[in-house]
Amino acid sequence: MAGVVRARFTFRGTVQGVGFRPAVYRLAVSLGLDGFVQNRRSEVVAEVQGSEARVQRFAAEIRGALPGAARLESLREQHVDTVEAEAGFHIIESGRDSFSFPPIPPDLPLCAACARELLDPTNRRYLYPFITCTQCGPRYSIVERTPFDRANTTMAPFDQCPACAAEYADPEDRRFHSQTNSCASCGPALSCVDSAGAHVPGNPLAAAVHGLAAGRVVAVMGIGGFHLAADPRAEAAVRRLRRDKDRERKPFALMVRDVQTAHRLCRLSPEEEALLVSQEAPILIAPRQPGAPQWTRGVSDTETLGIMLPYTPLHLLLFQHPEAGAGGDALIMTSGNLAGEPIITDPEEAQRKLADAADLFLFHDRRITFRTDDSVARRGPSAPPFLLRRSRGWVPRLIPLSRDTCEVRLALGGDLKNAPALARGRDLHLAAFIGDLESAESLRQFDSSIRQLLELYDVTPDSVAADMHPGYYSSRWQAPKGARPLRVQHHHAHALSVMAEHGLEEAIALSFDGTGYGTDGTIWGGEFLHATRSGFTRLGSLVPFPLPGGDAAVLHPPRVALGLLGEAARGRIPGIPPAEEQFILAMISRAVNSPMTTSLGRVFDAAAALLGLADRTTYEGEGPIRLEGSGLRAFDAGTTDGSETRELVHFEPGAEDGRLFLLDPRPLLIAMMDRRERHSTERLALLFHEAIAAASLEAARRMRRHTGCGVLALSGGVFQNLLLRELLIPPLIKEGFEVFFNVQAPPGDGGLAVGQAWFAPA
């Protein structure tokens, strides 16, 4: 075989379930090469054989020939021995190997080609609500085993009809080897029932469309679970959702018909629009247009709206079905669950639990294996996008690690915004968002998610890492026999989550959140750390202050303000009657049910209370969200008090436990009270953020001088605040800090497990 060479190409990344092998096949055939392409457990392998010039051309062109939904993390090329009597190029059956984790693709949004066919009356898939191809459709939510082949998914019961089978076998067809390929003759089907379980006659989708137009609430079974859908203009339906979901003021997400509708409702930068239409298709938190319709206030009474585009054919048809009425450009699309429970995936459970909340149920018969909520993302002018919730679109995309973990590590996260993780080799799988572990159902889902995760990857953990909090369910979870238990301090884990994403062995860190169990048994939350993978030094923190009533203070921000300011705030905090004020001050002075904390999140609560923005908390982060929105109005208008923040940044000498400094927020809060009659709420809200940013910058300077380390990690739930990020990150970079923050994991507790997995005990 003179002049003939053979090369093996090993591809890793999102390379299965996205039309990867067909793309490799088409390029190889076009170049007249022999060989094969094959899915393996953790990668795709292709061997091509032919003249040296043609093999080199394949190597040069393969990256450009890959499908849009693929994400290539690594490509290795090596020469191998030629094969005698090989004829043609073939896609061969999937194999298995033992390296790391199999790359399962995330669920993919409806592609443009399928959307055109869906709405084309001449196409055989016209109005078929499960239309897919190699570039779109369910993936992770339907997989049962690896590798990602139809037989290993919940599409296995749906045998392809002759027409679909012909597409599947045709290398020139867009659906060549599309594992989810189907049509109305052979694929999943819809059904519609009322709240009593009686089938609604006629076309199920049309019945749901008519129900929405009539102001009814419809439970819609999607890719990763149920949504409760309603017309946001139907005030009775909105009130009902708030009542039945125990969601008095928390904003609802909106699904909008198209990008044009998104622009009518929100002020979108080009970068925000790109995130909205991205392959991940998240809920985007974006600023409301000043002239947005009044009904949007019933959806969200904050300065932002959470919007997403239709990402499945079923969603698109809710807007563009021939029987959909004119003007239906937005729908409330909120998770289908009871308050405090995970999103529902099973039709029978949905009917049982949501019968009071929904008038109609739109079911399908494609079983959901892994539940996935909608991901939530945000971005600002100065920083890349960041995640508030990581689920559909991102999960199960692996987070690559810079070093081999040398063991299988199961990380359990915490009890709030829980999302466990599994690390092996240089790969980390952060599981989909579960939620707060506060109900029996969420605890069962936590157990089930871990079991599914271990079974999917067929591993047994060598170690199990959890939070230090002794009362957390996740910390008390019974690890598999033989697994080494590890405990990672909460704020250290926040810092480590950034370090894991960026391959850092050492960093100074601003670890800011609402609640985390400290090594001294108190509640931490405003921490300045020097962190390594094996441990940390607490260089500074906020001045500890009491929380009168403990958890009750979290629900009543004026109590937090009084706990911070004490007698200095007597008679000056909105929302506290004199008798209650006297009682709370007595609690504080006698140290009765007033645990100490260093929580910066609680300081944001106090500031919101002082400005009359939060008298009580009906959902997590409500006060800080309103405070941020008010400050952003002043920031966008160019109203700044930046020159005045220096005098409000107060540092005190450190405590006996070795802290170098304590940051005291009380002078800032007193200054805000003193200026309330002279300045607008918006201006004072901006002043607060500017002062916190200035204090954080000065703290970073002090940490760098002490440690000699200029690598800075920013993490914790407070860094979900866009205004703080915009005010802090550019000055840090200007002063020469190497600034790192969470990109693939949320900065809040939803990313804790990433840090726990990166922990390397000495």
Side-chain angles (χ1 to χ4, degrees), residues 71 119 524 551 653 667 742 746:
R71 285 178 180 259
L119 301 175
W524 291 7
D551 290 342
N742 296 106

Side-chain angles (χ1 to χ4, degrees), residues 53-284:
R54 292 186 179 188
V55 170
Q56 289 178 349
R57 188 174 168 190
F58 178 91
E61 295 182 9
I62 184 59
R63 288 181 182 271
L66 297 180
R71 285 178 180 259
L72 195 60
E73 293 172 4
S74 68
L75 169 57
R76 186 172 73 251
E77 177 184 356
Q78 60 189 121
H79 288 285
V80 294
D81 293 338
T82 57
V83 175
E84 297 286 345
E86 185 173 42
F89 192 88
H90 307 279
I91 295 176
I92 64 176
E93 289 300 312
S94 298
R96 300 176 70 90
D97 64 19
S98 58
F99 181 75
S100 196
F101 291 147
I104 306 163
D107 298 312
L108 299 171
L110 180 67
C111 71
C114 282
R116 286 192 297 271
E117 292 178 351
L118 178 70
L119 301 175
D120 178 3
T122 67
N123 191 277
R124 75 183 187 92
R125 291 187 174 87
Y126 177 55
L127 303 184
Y128 176 56
F130 304 98
I131 187 172
T132 68
C133 69
T134 57
Q135 296 302 289
C136 65
R139 300 293 191 269
Y140 172 67
S141 61
I142 62 170
V143 70
E144 295 188 298
R145 294 172 300 279
T146 59
F148 185 80
D149 289 330
R150 190 183 185 103
N152 294 335
T153 73
T154 58
M155 284 296 295
F158 303 99
D159 293 330
Q160 295 183 83
C161 66
C164 287
E167 294 168 333
Y168 183 88
D170 182 359
E172 300 303 317
D173 196 281
R174 195 173 85 252
R175 296 182 171 89
F176 179 49
H177 277 246
S178 171
Q179 306 302 335
T180 53
N181 192 33
S182 65
C183 68
S185 298
C186 61
L190 291 174
S191 60
C192 185
V193 303
D194 61 23
S195 57
H199 279 269
V200 177
N203 184 297
L205 186 53
V209 166
H210 289 312
L212 290 168
R216 294 183 173 184
V217 176
V218 181
V220 180
M221 187 176 178
I223 280 186
F226 277 83
H227 285 109
L228 288 170
D231 185 339
R233 299 170 180 82
E235 295 181 5
V238 176
R239 287 195 301 270
R240 179 180 176 186
L241 280 176
R242 292 207 174 279
R243 180 198 69 207
D244 292 336
K245 292 255 309 174
D246 192 20
R247 199 169 179 140
E248 180 183 349
R249 295 196 299 235
K250 188 176 182 180
F252 287 120
L254 284 175
M255 182 173 282
V256 297
R257 178 187 177 100
D258 48 34
V259 173
Q260 292 72 31
T261 304
H263 277 283
R264 286 198 299 273
L265 299 180
C266 295
R267 291 184 286 119
L268 297 179
S269 67
E271 295 80 12
E272 286 172 313
E273 180 180 328
L275 183 56
L276 182 67
V277 304
S278 68
Q279 187 181 103
E280 291 78 14
I283 297 172
L284 173 70

Side-chain angles (χ1 to χ4, degrees), residues 107-108 137-139 141-142 221-225 311-312 315 364 366 368 370 372 392:
D107 298 312
L108 299 171
R139 300 293 191 269
S141 61
I142 62 170
M221 187 176 178
I223 280 186
Y311 57 84
T312 73
H315 292 144
H364 62 70
R366 183 184 63 213
I368 297 170
F370 286 96
T372 53
R392 179 192 50 77

Side-chain angles (χ1 to χ4, degrees), residues 342-617:
I343 188 171
I344 295 170
T345 60
D346 178 69
E348 291 185 6
E349 182 184 1
Q351 182 114 40
R352 185 174 68 253
K353 290 187 174 181
L354 302 179
D356 291 335
D359 301 293
L360 296 172
F361 292 79
L362 189 60
F363 297 138
H364 62 70
D365 55 354
R366 183 184 63 213
R367 187 166 50 83
I368 297 170
T369 306
F370 286 96
R371 70 188 72 209
T372 53
D373 280 274
D374 296 309
S375 294
V376 183
R378 202 175 185 189
R379 75 167 302 154
S382 303
F386 59 97
L387 291 167
L388 283 72
R389 184 167 74 196
R390 185 183 192 269
S391 196
R392 179 192 50 77
W394 273 271
V395 177
R397 190 180 298 155
L398 300 175
I399 297 176
L401 303 174
S402 63
R403 287 178 179 257
D404 199 311
T405 58
C406 300
E407 64 177 15
V408 178
R409 167 77 56 80
L410 174 64
L412 302 176
D415 274 18
L416 301 179
K417 298 181 174 61
N418 181 266
L422 191 65
R424 182 187 189 190
R426 293 196 174 191
D427 286 332
L428 186 145
H429 172 119
L430 179 59
F433 166 86
I434 294 174
D436 297 347
L437 304 184
E438 60 183 14
S439 68
E441 185 58 39
S442 63
L443 298 182
R444 282 193 290 271
Q445 176 55 31
F446 174 77
D447 294 338
S448 174
S449 293
I450 292 174
R451 185 184 68 253
Q452 284 183 301
L453 191 60
L454 297 176
E455 290 176 353
L456 178 66
Y457 292 127
D458 191 21
V459 295
T460 300
D462 301 303
S463 61
V464 176
D467 194 90
M468 287 179 59
H469 197 304
Y472 274 1
Y473 176 83
S474 54
S475 300
R476 293 181 282 110
W477 184 78
Q478 187 64 47
K481 186 177 181 180
R484 180 167 49 113
L486 300 171
R487 293 294 177 266
V488 187
Q489 197 278 325
H490 190 92
H491 300 93
H492 186 209
H494 274 311
L496 286 171
S497 70
V498 176
M499 295 165 66
E501 287 201 53
H502 300 283
L504 306 177
E505 298 288 321
E506 176 190 17
I508 52 176
L510 308 184
S511 194
F512 297 164
D513 65 0
T515 299
Y517 189 80
T519 55
D520 58 2
T522 66
I523 304 168
W524 291 7
E527 310 307 315
F528 303 88
L529 309 179
H530 180 209
T532 66
R533 290 186 64 191
S534 60
F536 71 96
T537 301
R538 193 184 188 197
L539 298 179
S541 76
L542 266 63
V543 171
F545 59 92
L547 279 180
D551 290 342
V554 178
L555 299 177
H556 297 87
R559 285 191 174 207
V560 180
L562 194 56
L564 265 159
L565 300 176
E567 290 288 346
R570 185 182 284 274
R572 305 181 69 188
I573 300 177
I576 298 188
E580 182 181 351
E581 179 182 76
Q582 187 64 35
F583 175 74
I584 293 172
L585 288 172
M587 287 178 61
I588 295 170
S589 65
R590 297 170 186 167
V592 175
N593 191 22
S594 298
M596 301 300 288
T597 184
T598 59
S599 169
L600 183 57
R602 299 290 80 84
V603 176
F604 274 77
D605 282 334
L610 291 177
L611 296 181
L613 297 171
D615 60 341
R616 58 194 177 93
T617 298

Side-chain angles (χ1 to χ4, degrees), residues 671-689:
M672 291 172 63
M673 286 196 302
D674 291 342
R675 301 179 190 191
R676 283 185 303 202
E677 294 186 2
R678 304 196 312 271
H679 297 307
S680 68
T681 298
E682 289 80 5
R683 189 175 180 187
L684 291 176
L686 176 58
L687 172 68
F688 173 82
H689 285 85

